[in-house]
């Protein structure tokens, strides 16, 4: 039984609008037929992202839960994650066979990380529109997340980002840890992310 220790819990964090919900949607489309999964999506005052995922019909409605954090996104996933821990327990109870649980944080800053009490591994996202120098600025999320996703590579020419240079800077910041350059609109990089979850998360 794959979920002998409960579902693999993956945190997806990153800047506002970088593509966290798009990634959640893509992962669900890619593997939800083979793997029992659910999503917990954080927003500050609404359940907008959860509603988006429900409308997109990527998973049955009862496998998607919106959490209204009401404050700084990182508080609810790092400093005081009780609201999310409750949501995790609720999903585990509803779906005892659950193998994968994705927890999307609200959009946040470069220091956003997840409490190890809440997730087993974390994915951090930034997008090329945030600027050429983002990987050089480093930060706990860029350096230490289990997987770094650099999204919206399709937009690099429009925001004067040199992807070859960005790759060199990412390599240096990650110091051997994995990363993936993605274009969610064209589904580029998604397979590498799901492969990472399957091989490193034991799915
Ligand atoms: N061009 C381009 N647009 C993208 C890509 N990925 C996501 N988007 C668009 O970027 C916008 C924000 O994407 P979301 O997935 O909602 O981002 P998010 O990180 O969940 O946003 P918040 O939860 O509000 O912080 C949407 O309009 C997406 O369609 C990409 O690879 N390329
Ligand atoms: Mg979102």
């Amino acid at each position: 039984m794959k979920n002998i220790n409960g579902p693999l819990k993956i945190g997806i964090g990153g800047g506002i609008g970088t593509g966290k919900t798009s990634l959640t949607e893509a992962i669900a489309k890619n593997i939800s037929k083979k793997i029992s999964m659910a999503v917990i999506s954080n927003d500050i005052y609404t359940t907008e992202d959860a509603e988006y995922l429900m409308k997109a019909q990527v998973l049955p409605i009862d496998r998607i839960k919106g959490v209204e954090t009401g404050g700084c996104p990182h508080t609810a996933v790092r400093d005081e994650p009780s609201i999310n821990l409750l949501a995790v327990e609720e999903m585990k109870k509803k779906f005892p066979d659950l193998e994968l649980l994705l927890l999307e944080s609200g959009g946040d800053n470069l220091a956003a990380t997840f409490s190890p009490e809440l997730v087993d591994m974390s994915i951090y996202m930034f997008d090329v529109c945030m600027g050429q120098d983002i990987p050089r600025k480093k930060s706990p999320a860029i350096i230490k997340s289990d997987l770094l996703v650099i999204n919206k590579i399709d937009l690099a020419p429009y925001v004067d980002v040199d992807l070859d240079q960005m790759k060199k800077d990412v390599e240096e910041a990650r110091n051997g840890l994995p990363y993936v350059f993605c274009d969610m609109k064209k589904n580029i990089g998604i397979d590498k992310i799901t492969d990472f979850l399957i091989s490193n998360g034991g799915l």
Side-chain angles (χ1 to χ4, degrees), residues 92-190:
K92 280 165 68 175
K93 217 168 163 186
K94 243 196 293 183
F95 303 104
D97 72 333
L98 208 56
E99 292 165 286
L100 174 65
L101 190 48
L102 299 180
L103 288 104
E104 180 190 342
S105 165
D108 211 333
N109 61 42
L110 291 179
T113 51
F114 285 80
S115 163
E117 216 190 325
L118 183 64
V119 301
D120 303 305
M121 293 199 297
S122 67
I123 297 176
Y124 184 78
M125 296 186 80
F126 74 90
D127 72 50
V128 300
C129 306
M130 289 164 73
Q132 179 83 55
D133 53 355
I134 290 296
R136 288 201 296 275
K137 291 186 177 174
K138 301 186 177 161
S139 84
I142 288 189
I143 297 175
K144 292 186 189 159
S145 52
D146 297 287
L147 181 67
L148 180 68
V149 173
I150 302 97
N151 194 29
K152 305 193 188 179
I153 54 169
D154 55 308
L155 300 182
Y158 306 104
V159 289
D160 297 327
V161 163
D162 173 346
L163 284 176
D164 291 332
Q165 181 59 47
M166 189 173 264
K167 189 165 179 254
K168 284 181 196 146
D169 294 336
V170 166
E171 283 271 347
E172 203 210 310
R174 295 293 283 167
N175 198 20
L177 284 177
Y179 62 84
V180 184
F181 279 76
C182 285
D183 171 355
M184 298 284 154
K185 292 276 179 196
K186 294 200 193 72
N187 227 21
I188 294 170
I190 306 299

Side-chain angles (χ1 to χ4, degrees), residues 66-80:
V67 167
E68 286 182 50
T69 60
C72 287
H74 51 260
T75 305
V77 297
R78 186 186 67 199
D79 309 326
E80 212 294 274

